[in-house]
Amino acid sequence: MRRPLIVGNWKMNKTASEAVAFIRDFRERVAASPHAEVVLAPAFTALESARNALGPSSWIGLGAQNVHWETHGSFTGEVSAPMLRELDCRYVIVGHSDRRTLFGERDETIQKKVQAALRHGLSPILCVGESLAERETGLTESVVTAQLNGGLAGLSPQDLATVTIAYEPVWAIGTGRAATTEQAVTVHRSIRLFVETGWDNDTASVVRILYGGSVTPQNIEPLLASDAIDGALVGGACLSPDSFARIVRSAQIQRV
Ligand code: PGA
């Protein structure tokens, strides 16, 4: 049984002090539950204060929004996996569509980031998803498969088992137009089949596949009602402690 995972991607929002205020408020609204894992992904500048506000061995995990593939060196403006590990990050988002479309990230570098994260004990959350034009021309599956191949090629089953895949259709991100459960489930099933075919059954049964794109407290329940959807990567609706707490509470309801 895969434990649902809810990740709040703050993107370029919240200063360090705003992060601390969020965490205080959020923790008053929701308690730990064995039925769902929760991760916050603040900006790099807020990671340390978020870590301190969460305290040691908090039930809320920490993730970063990006990572460089080298450990150190002349890469102005970049942050490496060991730097993130020292701040107690457990996860790192890789290949978000913002990175792909606004910053020109390609599968080749995304693959290096996935591998660097794994080498240093971070679990990558690999984002994949098609644009509206690609969906409308029937290219969803081939685009997603190419991105999966690009990001995951060459991983051992053990490594892949610690990767989370986030299906985030580009047309659903920040638009208020989430995919329907049916649309998401179709792609999630093809992603799991991709893992099963390229690796094996056991790996396919443990890899978590999240949905992302305009997730809200209103639509999280029908999405999580399907056992093909193992959680959510939340953007806009994770910025307020109230709406993120409502999403997390929905995920904490034990699946049967
Ligand atoms: P959204 O963003 O929830 O605001 O659509 C999701 C994401 O980009 O991860």
Side-chain angles (χ1 to χ4, degrees):
M1 188 70 170
R2 296 177 296 270
R3 190 177 179 216
L5 170 63
I6 304 292
V7 183
N9 173 14
W10 284 353
K11 310 189 184 180
M12 198 175 75
N13 294 289
K14 298 194 192 295
T15 63
S17 58
E18 287 165 349
V20 173
F22 175 100
I23 288 166
R24 282 205 190 113
D25 188 336
F26 176 71
R27 281 208 297 210
E28 280 169 19
R29 294 169 190 272
V30 54
S33 153
H35 304 307
E37 184 180 354
V38 177
V39 169
L40 290 173
F44 290 136
T45 49
L47 281 173
E48 186 165 16
S49 16
R51 189 259 314 250
N52 295 341
L54 291 170
S57 55
S58 170
W59 65 274
I60 302 166
L62 212 50
Q65 299 174 17
N66 190 17
V67 66
H68 193 268
W69 56 88
E70 294 292 346
T71 53
H72 62 279
S74 189
F75 303 101
T76 304
E78 295 291 326
V79 171
S80 73
M83 295 172 183
L84 297 174
R85 281 296 296 148
E86 205 174 292
L87 291 173
D88 294 339
C89 281
R90 288 181 218 157
Y91 289 90
V92 61
I93 298 169
V94 176
H96 187 277
S97 85
D98 288 345
R99 303 291 326 161
R100 293 180 191 262
T101 57
L102 303 174
F103 302 100
E105 275 194 20
R106 318 211 68 88
D107 286 331
E108 194 191 31
T109 49
I110 291 167
Q111 183 180 120
K112 289 202 228 172
K113 290 179 180 203
V114 167
Q115 292 178 355
L118 289 165
R119 261 198 313 278
H120 296 281
L122 287 165
S123 295
I125 300 171
L126 173 69
C127 301
V128 297
E130 80 288 0
S131 67
L132 187 58
E134 288 162 345
R135 171 162 285 265
E136 284 174 345
T137 47
L139 293 175
T140 300
E141 195 174 330
S142 61
V143 167
V144 167
T145 304
Q147 291 171 339
L148 291 169
N149 262 321
L152 303 176
L155 293 191
S156 66
Q158 291 78 0
D159 276 346
L160 184 54
T162 69
V163 173
T164 299
I165 297 166
Y167 169 54
E168 296 208 303
V170 179
W171 48 270
I173 297 178
T175 58
R177 187 184 155 201
T180 62
T181 303
E182 198 188 345
Q183 285 172 323
V185 166
T186 304
V187 180
H188 282 223
R189 293 218 167 106
S190 76
I191 293 173
R192 204 169 297 286
L193 190 61
F194 168 88
V195 175
E196 195 181 311
T197 318
W199 283 264
D200 53 61
N201 245 317
D202 290 350
T203 312
S205 68
V206 295
V207 165
R208 286 189 291 196
I209 306 173
L210 312 184
Y211 168 77
S214 295
V215 170
T216 63
Q218 288 71 38
N219 63 23
I220 185 75
E221 263 174 56
L223 287 164
L224 292 183
S226 165
D227 63 5
I229 301 178
D230 303 316
L233 180 51
V234 186
C238 80
L239 294 175
S240 122
D242 171 54
S243 74
F244 194 52
R246 282 193 280 152
I247 290 171
V248 168
R249 281 199 301 266
S250 295
Q252 288 177 334
I253 296 163
Q254 186 176 14
R255 294 193 187 193
V256 280

